Amino acid sequence: MMQENTKEIMDLEDGGGQVNYVGIMGKIVLGIAVVWTIFQLYMSSYGIMDAIKFRAWHLGFLLVLGFILYPAKKGKGGTRTRPTIFDFVCIALTIVSMGYFLLTYDVFVRERYGVNVGTDYLMGGIAMGLLFEASRRVVGNGLTIIAAIFLFYNFFGGYIPGTFGHNGFSPERVITVMFWGGQGIFGTALAVSATYIFVFVMFGAFLKNSGFSDFINDLALTIAGRTSGGPAKVSILASGLMGMMSGSAVGNVVTTGAVTIPLMKKTGYQPKFAAAVEAVASTGGLLAPPIMGAAAFIMAEFLGVPYTTIILAAIIPAILYYATLFMVVHFEAKRLGLSGLSKENIPNALKVLKEGGHLLIPLIVLMGALFTGVTPLFAAIWALAATVLASWIRKSTRMGIRTILASIEEGARGAINVGIACAIVGIVVGTITLTSIGLTVGNNVINMAGENVLIAALLTMVISVFLGMGVPATAAYIIVAAISVPILVNMGVPALAAHMFAFYYAALSSITPPVALASYAAAGIARADATKVSFESMRIGAIGFILPFFFLFNPVLLFDGDSVGASIFAGTTALIGGIALSGFLTGWFVGKLNWLDRSLLMVGGLLMIYPDLMISAIGLAVIIVSILLQMRNVNVKNLLAKEKLSGGEKA
């Protein structure tokens, strides 16, 4: 039953379970994956092609594999020998429409000077219809419906009264913008999917199959397994490290949660708490460098900055996120009186490093390349090659031909979901450009907020979380970045802080009810109520919802201030504040907290997070007062206990 529930959540994340083919069709799928991977790696490194043609090739592969691997009807996955007739029709139309685009694009640009003919509109319409069908299968109904609403808005804006109405556009005009231009389907989102995202997803697949995930689990056990509430801390370390590489909250839950959640339950944590810890830790992987979620690469493109700038900006918030979560489970363990795992269940640290330490080489190569000025594409390709070479150091991790081919197929399959999401969200971005609805929404939000940045930020948070319900974080971020981020920027918020603000809430939608896919996946493994797990996830992951407001108003937490020293100081004070908030969230610090102690920790913690010397000093004083009161309460309780004991002895 547990496996069925988890599978349902995985299916919900990608719109339906992938089909596994046997026989000749299985070999054909592998062959397509290999050809696609070779093409992508070559074009991402040394190949030369018009950017829009490269994106068209990428979309063509996405659609073909999407129709082959994802069933038209949800729940009709499993094992097959061949696709259905409808699948073959969709594949044939994909080849015809995308082939037509690739063969006639030069004529369209150089000979017809951007003027479309009837066949252009027909093929563009067919391709758009195929994209919606692929999105329905692969991504699910949520994002597909959102894209459809935006598409119809282009046509029927004339029937909408008031501010949001417009004159409406003809089908020919819409197809031209969405398919034949560079602002719709073939825009920035698909460009990033065709380059950074594909290569990094492939790198993650190779890293996983090299034995890296097993090494991370064992390493986390040696570090935190024997401490109070050890399994929960192991979950945080393992999920965080894996999440940095995978960029998928739900995939991370299923990978590491299958081991850590049962361990947490066995130690004494409630099922809902164990599931929530795993969900929050896995979601944090999207926010933690070096790879983060796919949206981080799109953010770098939107901002026009090196990817290393995004990495640096994410460091302090990620540390605060995980440190606070770590202390939450520590205080919860203290409150419940839980111990760690026994010594015989903990692997030997030296043995773990000896047998798997070489698997860290690809990460060293990746980080070294990024910070020496190499582009993320070349850095990922070098790291991918280093993964294979490093695996050969020891026989137990050596990747042979079969493992390499399996990694290629797994990486190609993994790229489909985010690639289709990036393509369909191009419809949304194209509509925003064509109809100027982004400007309209911005003006209305500014009118509602009265130029108050806090109110505008709250509205942006609501939009981000709402759009993220059941929608991939990447797609949610792109939509919010197109609609809401310009509002914050126009109100004086630095662009980097505004984009990180939207990115955080798009990612945290994975643990935010009513549709919290990471929480649901963890609940399936823990056999707990999904709604209760979602609300528990919000409680213990509260720091993630709080932090964006602080770096929005003072970007020094993003290394976007006057000096590195100021950022480190702000990060240190915020860390103290995060620890205090951990006590507030669990009701335990020096000992069990009463309402006054808990309130003081909350106030002091929030003040410490705000990057200002005077405010942080006040926050520290409040925390110290709370600690002194707690120590007095503990001493009083100990004294009363001694008096009671001595009284009993006299009696």
Side-chain angles (χ1 to χ4, degrees):
M1 185 68 178
M2 178 191 74
Q3 292 178 343
E4 291 177 359
N5 291 338
T6 304
K7 183 180 182 298
E8 288 177 3
I9 301 301
M10 290 296 291
D11 291 350
L12 180 60
E13 186 194 35
D14 59 20
Q18 289 189 1
V19 176
N20 293 312
Y21 289 96
V22 295
I24 187 65
M25 195 62 207
K27 295 178 181 178
I28 290 174
V29 170
L30 176 59
I32 295 173
V34 170
V35 171
W36 186 23
T37 301
I38 293 172
F39 170 76
Q40 290 283 160
L41 295 180
Y42 174 73
M43 292 304 304
S44 297
S45 52
Y46 300 104
I48 299 175
M49 181 184 290
D50 287 343
I52 199 166
K53 285 186 178 181
F54 177 41
R55 299 169 197 175
W57 274 106
H58 181 70
L59 180 59
F61 277 108
L62 285 171
L63 291 174
V64 169
L65 280 177
F67 291 129
I68 292 175
L69 296 175
Y70 289 83
K73 292 184 179 181
K74 186 178 178 180
K76 297 295 183 180
T79 302
R80 292 184 186 176
T81 57
R82 62 181 178 82
T84 65
I85 294 176
F86 182 56
D87 295 336
F88 277 121
V89 171
C90 291
I91 293 167
L93 289 174
T94 297
I95 294 172
V96 170
S97 59
M98 300 309 299
Y100 178 85
F101 180 90
L102 290 166
L103 291 173
T104 62
Y105 187 77
D106 287 337
V107 175
F108 165 69
V109 173
R110 296 185 177 90
E111 297 181 16
R112 290 196 262 121
Y113 303 103
V115 177
N116 290 112
V117 296
T119 310
D120 296 349
Y121 298 127
L122 175 63
M123 292 299 168
I126 290 173
M128 289 171 63
L130 291 168
L131 177 57
F132 272 94
E133 170 61 15
S135 176
R136 183 189 67 81
R137 296 186 186 199
V138 176
V139 185
N141 293 331
L143 181 58
T144 307
I145 291 172
I146 291 173
I149 291 171
F150 273 84
L151 180 63
F152 284 117
Y153 178 69
N154 290 292
F155 302 128
F156 301 111
Y159 298 97
I160 300 176
T163 307
F164 291 97
H166 61 82
N167 293 330
F169 298 93
S170 67
E172 292 81 4
R173 173 65 173 155
V174 173
I175 291 173
T176 298
V177 172
M178 299 298 173
F179 187 71
W180 291 95
Q183 297 175 320
I185 294 171
F186 298 119
T188 301
L190 189 64
V192 175
S193 172
T195 50
Y196 304 117
I197 294 175
F198 183 91
V199 176
F200 275 92
V201 168
M202 190 61 63
F203 169 57
F206 271 77
L207 200 63
K208 174 187 170 184
N209 289 325
S210 70
F212 182 78
S213 58
D214 293 333
F215 166 68
I216 288 299
N217 278 330
D218 289 342
L219 184 62
L221 277 170
T222 64
I223 294 173
R226 297 193 66 186
T227 61
S228 181
K233 296 173 183 176
V234 169
S235 173
I236 294 169
L237 291 173
S239 299
L241 290 170
M242 279 303 299
M244 294 176 190
M245 302 299 112
S246 69
S248 170
V250 175
N252 197 11
V253 167
V254 175
T255 301
T256 59
V259 176
T260 59
I261 289 176
L263 273 178
M264 283 187 272
K265 290 173 63 179
K266 186 177 179 180
T267 305
Y269 286 107
Q270 291 184 355
K272 71 172 183 178
F273 185 84
V277 168
E278 179 61 43
V280 175
S282 295
T283 299
L286 305 179
L287 309 170
I291 294 180
M292 307 170 65
F297 299 102
I298 296 175
M299 190 192 307
E301 289 292 311
F302 281 165
L303 291 170
V305 299
Y307 182 63
T308 49
T309 300
I310 307 299
I311 291 177
L312 289 172
I315 289 176
I316 292 179
I319 291 174
L320 295 176
Y321 182 95
Y322 276 107
T324 303
L325 178 59
F326 195 88
M327 294 308 299
V328 164
V329 301
H330 176 73
F331 289 139
E332 183 74 9
K334 289 291 186 182
R335 186 179 70 84
L336 297 174
L338 302 180
S339 59
L341 296 172
S342 58
K343 185 177 180 180
E344 57 268 20
N345 291 322
I346 305 295
N348 181 272
L350 291 177
K351 184 179 179 182
V352 169
L353 290 172
K354 181 180 178 181
E355 293 182 352
H358 60 285
L359 298 175
L360 294 172
I361 293 175
L363 301 185
I364 297 172
V365 170
L366 176 67
M367 295 302 296
L370 285 173
F371 283 99
T372 53
V374 176
T375 66
L377 276 177
F378 275 99
I381 292 172
W382 290 359
L384 197 157
T387 303
V388 178
L389 295 175
S391 74
W392 292 347
I393 293 177
R394 295 191 68 86
K395 185 178 180 180
S396 58
T397 60
R398 192 167 299 159
M399 298 181 73
I401 294 297
R402 288 186 179 181
T403 307
I404 291 173
L405 291 176
S407 300
I408 289 174
E409 182 173 350
E410 183 178 333
R413 284 174 177 259
I416 297 172
N417 177 269
V418 66
I420 293 294
C422 286
I424 195 69
V425 84
I427 299 288
V428 177
V429 176
T431 299
I432 293 170
T433 302
L434 184 59
T435 64
S436 298
I437 188 176
L439 183 61
T440 302
V441 171
N443 290 334
N444 278 273
V445 169
I446 290 174
N447 290 334
M448 292 174 62
E451 298 190 3
N452 185 307
V453 177
L454 177 60
I455 296 176
L458 286 169
L459 291 171
T460 300
M461 178 192 73
V462 172
I463 293 172
S464 300
V465 173
F466 176 77
L467 290 174
M469 293 178 183
V471 173
T474 302
Y477 162 72
I478 294 169
I479 298 171
V480 176
I483 294 178
S484 299
V485 167
I487 301 169
L488 298 175
V489 173
N490 289 336
M491 297 180 80
V493 176
L496 178 60
H499 278 272
M500 285 292 291
F501 183 88
F503 176 49
Y504 253 69
Y505 288 114
L508 291 171
S509 64
S510 294
I511 59 171
T512 308
V515 184
L517 297 183
S519 297
Y520 289 2
I525 297 173
R527 296 180 180 177
D529 182 271
T531 302
K532 291 181 180 179
V533 171
S534 298
F535 282 106
E536 186 74 355
S537 298
M538 286 189 67
R539 181 180 74 86
I540 66 176
I543 189 67
F545 295 91
I546 295 171
L547 269 177
F549 283 94
F550 287 95
F551 62 62
L552 188 72
F553 289 97
N554 196 333
V556 70
L557 287 172
L558 304 176
F559 282 108
D560 194 24
D562 296 329
S563 69
V564 173
S567 295
I568 294 175
F569 175 78
T572 303
T573 58
L575 180 60
I576 297 172
I579 294 172
L581 286 176
S582 302
F584 160 73
L585 292 169
T586 56
W588 186 278
F589 202 79
V590 174
K592 186 177 180 180
L593 301 177
N594 58 37
W595 67 269
L596 177 60
D597 299 331
R598 205 164 179 175
S599 299
L600 289 174
L601 283 179
M602 179 191 71
V603 173
L606 292 174
L607 292 176
M608 286 292 287
I609 294 176
Y610 190 81
D612 178 87
L613 180 60
M614 183 59 67
I615 293 177
S616 294
I618 295 172
L620 181 61
V622 173
I623 292 172
I624 291 173
V625 169
S626 176
I627 292 174
L628 291 174
L629 289 174
Q630 292 173 54
M631 293 174 67
R632 186 197 67 178
N633 292 337
V634 170
N635 290 333
V636 169
K637 288 179 181 178
N638 290 338
L639 181 61
L640 290 175
K642 288 181 180 179
E643 290 179 352
K644 185 177 180 180
L645 180 63
S646 60
E649 290 176 350
K650 290 179 181 179

